[in-house]
């Protein structure tokens, strides 16, 4: 069960099993609009395939993956092809690092074209992300609901992710919770979700 503490800039959701910090206005309106505009010109998006119950299926969203030094990352039986960070996303990366106090060398962008695109229940627990992954996730465009579910109790928490917000998942969260971005019927507008990650050197 999460307890929420609100200050003017951050809502911190604390449980014994992980940490979530939510910054509703990490970017102001003008910055958010301008970033959303720039993202629409990126031509790195593909609809990738994962393995699920022995079958190859297309993920219900578009993805683009950037890495500073070709760091390899993938999930559910797919390997993402790293592209070089465009300058504007690298500047954003440095700004995110200042906020969270972490360093990131990779960025996975999810582009949900409308409310029928989604991201099913999962934990970001791939070995490349280290023991307690720090994932800083920026939302741009349409508001969508983000859900967390405790693995043992099944208890759910919901957050509405707004345009320009940043959600920081860290601590032991990925060991104890799954998260998802469900479909939203009737929504025609797109949303971009920029997830900054730290890929550990392979041993
Ligand atoms: O779109 C979101 O906010 C969730 C993205 C997500 O779950 C992921 O990239 O692992």
């Amino acid at each position: 069960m999460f307890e929420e503490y609100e200050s003017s800039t951050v809502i911190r959701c604390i449980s014994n099993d992980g940490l979530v910090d939510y910054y509703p206005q990490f970017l102001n309106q003008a910055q958010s609009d301008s970033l959303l505009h720039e993202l629409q010109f990126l031509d790195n998006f593909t609809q990738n395939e994962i393995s699920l119950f022995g079958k190859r299926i297309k993920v219900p969203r578009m993805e683009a993956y950037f890495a500073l030094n070709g760091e390899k990352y993938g999930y559910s039986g797919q390997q993402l092809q790293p592209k070089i960070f465009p300058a504007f996303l690298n500047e954003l990366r440095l700004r995110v690092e200042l906020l969270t106090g972490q360093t990131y060398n990779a960025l996975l962008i999810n582009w949900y074209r409308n409310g029928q695109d989604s991201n099913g229940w999962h934990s970001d627990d791939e070995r490349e992300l280290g023991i307690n992954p720090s994932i800083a996730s920026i939302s741009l465009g349409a508001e969508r609901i983000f859900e967390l579910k405790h693995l043992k109790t099944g208890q759910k928490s919901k957050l509405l992710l707004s345009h320009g917000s940043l959600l920081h998942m860290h601590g032991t969260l990925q060991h104890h919770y799954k998260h998802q971005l469900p479909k939203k019927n009737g929504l025609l507008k797109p949303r971009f979700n920029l997830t900054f990650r730290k890929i550990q050197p392979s041993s």
Side-chain angles (χ1 to χ4, degrees), residues 110 112 119 122 124 137 146 161 179 181 191 193 195 197:
N110 297 300
Y112 303 92
N119 205 328
H122 66 283
D124 292 331
S137 167
F146 177 86
L161 300 181
H179 56 269
L181 192 100
R191 167 175 179 267
N193 168 240
T195 63
R197 296 160 192 256

Side-chain angles (χ1 to χ4, degrees), residues 61-167:
R61 60 190 172 275
M62 304 295 279
E63 295 174 318
Y65 175 64
F66 303 92
L68 280 187
N69 295 297
E71 286 84 356
K72 290 196 170 66
Y73 179 60
Y75 65 92
S76 301
Q78 71 146 327
Q79 182 76 49
L80 296 160
Q81 291 309 314
K83 303 281 175 347
I84 303 289
F85 267 82
F88 76 102
L89 293 176
N90 204 35
E91 280 166 26
L92 185 65
R93 178 181 69 82
L94 298 173
R95 196 165 159 197
V96 172
E97 288 185 352
L98 277 180
L99 180 84
T100 65
Q102 303 284 331
T103 55
Y104 304 101
N105 53 13
L107 166 65
L108 172 61
I109 305 185
N110 297 300
W111 169 24
Y112 303 92
R113 294 159 290 184
N114 54 48
Q116 290 310 296
D117 275 355
S118 62
N119 205 328
W121 287 115
H122 66 283
S123 304
D124 292 331
D125 55 3
E126 293 77 30
R127 199 172 47 87
E128 303 95 293
L129 297 176
I131 295 172
N132 289 326
S134 160
I135 298 178
S137 167
I138 295 176
S139 294
L140 294 161
E143 282 191 348
R144 296 285 293 259
I145 287 174
F146 177 86
E147 295 185 324
L148 283 156
K149 182 165 70 176
H150 195 277
L151 291 177
K152 279 203 185 127
T153 65
Q155 191 145 27
K156 286 187 189 167
S157 311
K158 286 184 189 183
L159 273 167
L160 185 63
L161 300 181
S162 62
H163 182 47
S165 67
L166 185 148
L167 181 80

